[in-house]
Amino acid sequence: MFSEKLMKLRRQEGMSQEQLADRMDVTRQSVSKWESGSAMPELGKLTALSELFGVSLDYLVKDYIEEREMAKPALDNDTAARLEKKVDALANRNRIYSFTSRRKIFGLPLVSVRFGHDRHPCRENTAVGVIAIGNFSLGVVSIGLISAGLLPIGMIALGGVALGMISIGVVAFGAVAVGYLAVGASALGVYAVGAAAQGSRVAVGAAASASTAVGLEAKGGRMLTNPAVTAAQVLEFLKPELAAMWVPVRGLMTFLINWIF
């Protein structure tokens, strides 16, 4: 296999992964992925590897060629096209599709996109920009499986206003939400709203637990458990707590209570 051949050639030359990465102008993580078989270098890098180690491209990419072959003269057009097609097929399952806008704001690309089949975060598959979209994203507005930023949206979201299956933020919305204001099926925060809400100050939900709790099942120092309660009654009950809230959070909490009740 290519990965095994590359590792063998590198060791025979007494080179570390860092040294090979420097020669190929890539990161050490890229070399590590080549040798683990989780990624395949592009044709240009394969050509450079064959020249560096003095072996043929056929030897590098064809599994059935086990004996080391010396580098051959330049390939004719047809052979080069077939080889490129094979390399593309081998690399396709690990290809990272990327786009980075030329325009930058405060040194960050306005838009950064990184999508691919590689499930391990690294520099090559992490989108970093003002607007970041990818498997792993970091930006002011970020969208991804794992996203972080001022406004992250993803399976796992970490940031200011976070929206995700699992979200952690100043304001967090999700199936599982943790934050200053947490809203979700399972919510944990200073102020929590959800089916199961646990708050240090205020909790509103079917099952609510906090210093001040509103719900069908409520536990706390002050409790409101009337199932026929109206939004106006809830807001009146929570008036002392609402007055102490940060204004944007108070507005959002008021909206949620009006929407729920």
Side-chain angles (χ1 to χ4, degrees), residues 8-9 24 35 63-64 73 129 173 194 196 213 234 238 244:
K8 181 179 178 181
L9 290 168
M24 292 293 104
E35 293 189 352
D63 295 344
Y64 61 83
F173 297 88
V234 173
L238 295 177

Side-chain angles (χ1 to χ4, degrees), residues 51-141:
E51 293 174 353
L52 175 63
F53 294 120
V55 296
S56 69
L57 283 171
D58 280 353
Y59 169 75
L60 283 177
V61 302
K62 294 181 179 179
D63 295 344
Y64 61 83
I65 299 179
E66 299 296 336
E67 294 299 323
R68 177 171 176 172
E69 296 180 341
M70 301 306 292
K72 296 178 180 179
L75 300 175
D76 60 65
N77 291 339
D78 289 343
T79 303
R82 288 196 300 270
L83 181 57
E84 184 172 3
K85 185 176 180 180
K86 179 176 177 61
V87 171
D88 285 344
L90 289 169
N92 186 59
R93 66 186 179 89
N94 295 299
R95 192 184 302 275
I96 300 298
Y97 300 94
S98 64
F99 167 78
T100 302
S101 65
R102 294 183 178 180
R103 184 176 180 183
K104 293 186 177 182
I105 299 178
F106 300 115
L108 289 175
L110 177 61
V111 178
S112 176
V113 179
R114 295 287 188 281
F115 275 117
H117 300 290
D118 196 332
R119 300 305 182 189
H120 304 287
C122 66
R123 189 175 69 180
E124 287 85 356
N125 68 351
T126 299
V128 180
V130 177
I131 300 174
I133 303 172
N135 292 356
F136 311 97
S137 58
L138 176 63
V140 177
V141 177

Side-chain angles (χ1 to χ4, degrees), residues 199-218:
S200 61
R201 295 184 184 177
V202 176
V204 178
S209 177
S211 295
T212 301
V214 179
L216 296 177
E217 297 181 11

Side-chain angles (χ1 to χ4, degrees), residues 164-168 172-179 181-189 191-199 204 207:
M165 291 292 293
I166 300 174
S167 60
I168 301 173
F173 297 88
V176 177
V178 179
L181 172 60
V183 182
S186 179
L188 175 64
Y191 303 98
V193 179
Q198 175 75 48
V204 178

